[in-house]
Amino acid sequence: MDAQSRGRAENIDPADQWVLNPNTGEYELRLGNSAPQSPVPGPRASRRGRPADPEAERGRGGAAVRQAPERGAEVPQPRRRRGAEPEPPPGRRNRRPVKKKSKAKKVVAWTGGGLALVLVATGSAGYLYLKHLEGNVSATDVGNAAKQGFSKDDAFNILIIGTDKRTGAGNEGYGDKNSVGHADTNILLHVAKDRTNATALSIPRDMIVDVPDCETLQPDGSKKVIPGSSQVRFNTSLGQEGRDPGCTMRTVKAVTGITPDHFMMVDFNAVKTLTSAVGGVKVCLKHPVNDKDSHLRLPAGESKIEGEQALAFVRTRHAWGNQGDLDRIKVQQQFMGSLMRDMSSSDTLTNPGKLLDLAEAATKALTVDKGIKSVSTLKDIALEMKKVPPKNITFLTVPVIDNPAEKVHATVIVDQNKGPEIFDAINNDVSFTDVKKKAKAAKDAQAARLKGTRSAPSDVRVRIMNGGAADGAAQDVVNWMQTEKGILKSENAGNAPAEVSRTTLEYAPEQAPQARELAALMGLSGSALKPGKSVTNAQGLPTMSLTLGKDFKGAGVSLTAPAKAPDVGEKSTADKVECAS
C-alpha cells in the first residue's frame, strides 16, 4: 500500500507523512490525502512516483526508463546487481528510510537555534508546508521606525515586546484588566554581523525614561503625532495615549542609542499556547515555590512546565529574590535559555503533527512590523539566528540604580557609569563572550590601512553623506572640519542612498594618505576605511566619500570601536542550565 493510500487510513504513522518529491529531490510533508506540493511545478506523477509523460520516461542519456505497470498487473521483481544486498522482505515498503528521517531533521533544525525567539523560528519552519501561516501573522505599520526589509548580510536588532494585554480565557489573574497593552517585558536582541554571537538586552519596564514624540498610523489611514512624555516609566511607551510599537522602538533608541530594525510582539496568551505546542519547557528551581498570587506551585529541582504554569512562571515576581521586577527578569532570561535548549534538542520537532501545532501557535501569537511580515522573511531571520552558537548568546539587563527622586523606591534609572559602555559595545557589534576572532591576516590588513604617510588637513578632499545619523549631522561635520580641523575641501553631499550601521570612508588608492589623516582626526578604525574608488565633486575633482552611520555620535567624537565588551557582573548564556532562586 503506497503512502497516498495510507493517507485514507484511520491511523497514519507520522513518519510516513514525509515523502520524497521526485521533481525536487526533497522530502516534503503530506497532509491527509493530499500529495506533496513541490515549489517548482513538474509533470504529473504516476503512483510509484515516475512521470506519466512517455517523453519524461527517458533518462539523462536518452535511454528509455521502464514504466510502472498498470494497476492489477503482475509486478516483476527488479533485477539485483551482482554483489548487492538482497531486497528487504515485503511489508510496509513506503516507511520513511533512515535518510528520509535525517532529511526531516535537517528541515526542522532551523528552529533549534533561533530565539528570535521561538516565535520567529517556529513560524519560519511552518512555511515549508503551510502557506496560510502568513495570514496568521498580524502586522503594524510603524512607518520609518522600522526598516522596510531584512538583510542577511548585516548585523540586526529586533525589539521583542511582551505586553500585559489580556487575550484568551484564563488570564484574569495577570496584569491590569483594563490595560491597553503596555510594554511589560522588553528584550532588545542584537545579532552580530558575522553571526558568531548575539546579545539579548532586557529593558526594565519600571525604568524612568523620556518617551519621544511619535507618529502613529490611525485606523482611517491618517497619521497622528502623539506628544512625548518626560520622566515616565518605560512600559508607557506602548499603549499609553495610543502609542504603537514604533513608539517603543524610538524610546529604545533615545535611551540606549541603539536603533531597533524591527519589532516582534506577543501577549499573555502566547506564552501558554507556545509552551504547550512545544511540549513543555524545562526549568530548574533552587527552592520550592507556592505563590498564592500567581498560583505557581513547583518543587525544588527540575520541572517541565507549559500552558498556565509557564505563564505563571514568567509572570510571578513574589517567588523570586527581593520580589521585584529585576529578579523576575533574571528568571525570564533563564526560562528563555531553557526554551532555546529544548527547541534545539527536542525530538518533538521531527514529528510533523507537533510541528504543525507549533507553527500555528507561533504565527498566531506574533504581531510584527510590515518589513518582516512575510513568512519567507521570518524564515530568513530564523536561519541567521541558527548560525549563532547558544554559548555565545548572552543575556544582559540594562544597568540601573534606584530612582533618586523617590523616597520609597518603586522605579529605577539607567546607571550612567555602566550603561553607556554596554550600549556602545552592542552598537559596535562587540561580543560579551569569547568568540573566534577574525583571521589574523584580515585584522592585519585593516590595521595596515592606518599606517603610512598622512596628508596635511588642507589637502584632504572629502564629501560627507548622512547614512543613518541624526538629522543635520553631515553639515555639523563639515562645520567642524572647516572651523576646527582646517579641512576646507569638505562638503555636505546630503543623504546616502541607504542607511548603514557603521560609519565608513571610501577612497581611491592614491587617496590613502588623505584617508589616514581623516581617520586620525575622526577616530576611525581600520575597518571603517574602505579602499575603493573616488567620486567627482562639484568642481570636477576627485574626492573621498565619508558616510555617517548609525554609530555616529557627533562631530569631533571618536568613532574607534571598543576592543572588547565591558565586564558585566549580571549575565548568563543560553547554553548553561541555571536554577531560579
Side-chain angles (χ1 to χ4, degrees), residues 17-333:
Q17 292 179 283
W18 288 93
V19 295
L20 178 67
N21 188 322
N23 298 320
T24 64
E26 297 288 338
Y27 287 98
E28 299 172 3
L29 182 66
R30 179 188 303 243
L31 301 177
N33 299 332
S34 64
Q37 298 298 312
S38 170
V40 181
R44 183 177 178 184
S46 68
R47 281 176 50 81
R48 294 190 63 82
R50 294 195 177 100
D53 185 352
E55 289 299 320
E57 298 288 350
R58 298 192 174 274
R60 189 173 293 176
V65 179
R66 221 170 11 175
Q67 293 188 13
E70 295 292 327
R71 180 180 296 188
E74 183 178 348
V75 181
Q77 293 295 319
R79 229 184 246 179
R80 181 163 59 92
R81 291 190 207 164
R82 184 177 298 169
E85 292 293 326
E87 287 282 327
R92 296 185 65 184
R93 300 177 57 86
N94 283 311
R95 269 193 179 277
R96 185 175 62 174
V98 173
K99 182 177 181 181
K100 190 182 298 185
K101 182 177 180 181
S102 65
K103 194 75 176 183
K105 283 185 177 180
K106 182 183 288 187
V107 171
V108 298
W110 293 352
T111 60
L115 174 70
L117 291 176
V118 61
L119 313 177
V120 182
T122 53
S124 62
Y127 178 77
L128 291 177
Y129 53 87
L130 216 54
K131 176 63 178 174
H132 88 93
L133 291 182
E134 193 158 304
N136 288 348
V137 182
S138 300
T140 298
D141 187 348
V142 294
N144 61 8
K147 284 187 174 180
Q148 295 304 306
F150 173 74
S151 172
K152 294 187 284 186
D153 300 321
D154 295 325
F156 60 90
N157 301 315
I158 296 180
L159 180 61
I160 301 166
I161 306 171
T163 77
D164 58 1
K165 188 173 184 179
R166 298 177 179 180
T167 61
N171 296 322
E172 294 80 7
Y174 301 103
D176 179 1
K177 65 179 181 180
N178 299 315
S179 176
V180 293
H182 293 119
D184 192 60
T185 300
N186 309 277
I187 300 170
L188 181 61
L189 178 69
H190 170 81
V191 180
K193 182 175 182 178
D194 62 7
R195 307 301 187 247
T196 61
N197 65 93
T199 303
L201 181 68
S202 292
I203 303 172
R205 67 175 189 177
D206 295 329
M207 187 171 70
I208 297 300
V209 299
D210 292 337
V211 177
D213 293 347
C214 178
E215 183 179 84
T216 60
L217 188 67
Q218 301 300 300
D220 61 1
S222 63
K223 293 180 179 180
K224 176 184 177 181
V225 175
I226 300 175
S229 301
S230 298
Q231 297 298 288
V232 294
R233 294 177 192 244
F234 180 89
N235 67 343
T236 62
S237 64
L238 177 69
Q240 200 82 0
E241 311 298 335
R243 294 183 177 119
D244 64 13
C247 301
T248 309
M249 296 173 73
R250 291 182 173 95
T251 304
V252 169
K253 181 177 180 179
V255 173
T256 67
I258 305 169
T259 304
D261 300 312
H262 303 285
F263 83 86
M264 296 178 180
M265 184 169 67
V266 295
D267 57 26
F268 284 163
N269 211 47
V271 177
K272 297 198 295 188
T273 58
L274 286 170
T275 53
S276 295
V278 79
V281 176
K282 295 176 183 177
V283 296
C284 178
L285 278 70
K286 288 185 177 179
H287 57 77
V289 169
N290 186 356
D291 181 34
K292 64 179 182 180
D293 294 312
S294 65
H295 308 295
L296 178 65
R297 294 180 179 85
L298 289 174
E302 189 176 278
S303 298
K304 198 167 190 179
I305 59 174
E306 63 177 276
E308 190 69 37
Q309 260 194 327
L311 179 58
F313 186 84
V314 298
R315 284 293 304 155
T316 185
R317 67 165 99 183
H318 300 295
W320 321 122
N322 295 321
Q323 303 186 10
D325 191 50
L326 296 179
D327 291 303
R328 180 172 62 174
I329 286 175
K330 294 177 188 176
V331 173
Q332 291 173 342
Q333 292 172 345

Side-chain angles (χ1 to χ4, degrees), residues 368-425:
V368 301
D369 59 271
K370 286 198 168 183
I372 57 173
K373 183 184 186 302
S374 72
V375 174
S376 63
T377 301
L378 294 176
K379 176 201 71 175
D380 289 341
I381 293 175
L383 287 172
E384 294 307 305
M385 272 298 302
K386 178 65 174 68
K387 297 175 183 178
V388 182
K391 67 178 181 179
N392 290 333
I393 300 177
T394 305
F395 294 103
L396 302 173
T397 302
V398 172
V400 294
I401 59 175
D402 289 332
N403 186 357
E406 296 175 334
K407 291 183 178 180
V408 178
H409 297 304
T411 62
V412 293
I413 61 173
V414 175
D415 184 344
Q416 294 300 329
N417 293 322
K418 298 179 180 179
E421 283 186 306
I422 291 177
F423 305 151
D424 194 38

Side-chain angles (χ1 to χ4, degrees), residues 418-500:
K418 298 179 180 179
E421 283 186 306
I422 291 177
F423 305 151
D424 194 38
I426 295 174
N427 238 341
N428 286 284
D429 216 17
V430 178
S431 176
F432 286 84
T433 58
D434 292 328
V435 298
K436 186 177 180 181
K437 305 299 181 183
K438 294 180 180 178
K440 186 176 184 300
K443 291 182 66 177
D444 290 346
Q446 292 178 358
R449 296 170 192 166
L450 298 173
K451 297 178 181 179
T453 60
R454 287 161 42 181
S455 300
S458 59
D459 292 331
V460 174
R461 185 181 291 110
V462 61
R463 65 173 195 153
I464 299 94
M465 295 181 290
N466 192 331
D471 292 344
Q475 188 58 48
D476 289 344
V477 173
V478 170
N479 296 339
W480 172 77
M481 287 182 176
Q482 293 183 353
T483 60
E484 296 187 31
K485 297 300 176 182
I487 304 177
L488 302 179
K489 299 173 183 177
S490 54
E491 61 183 76
N492 183 351
N495 291 330
E499 286 193 356
V500 293

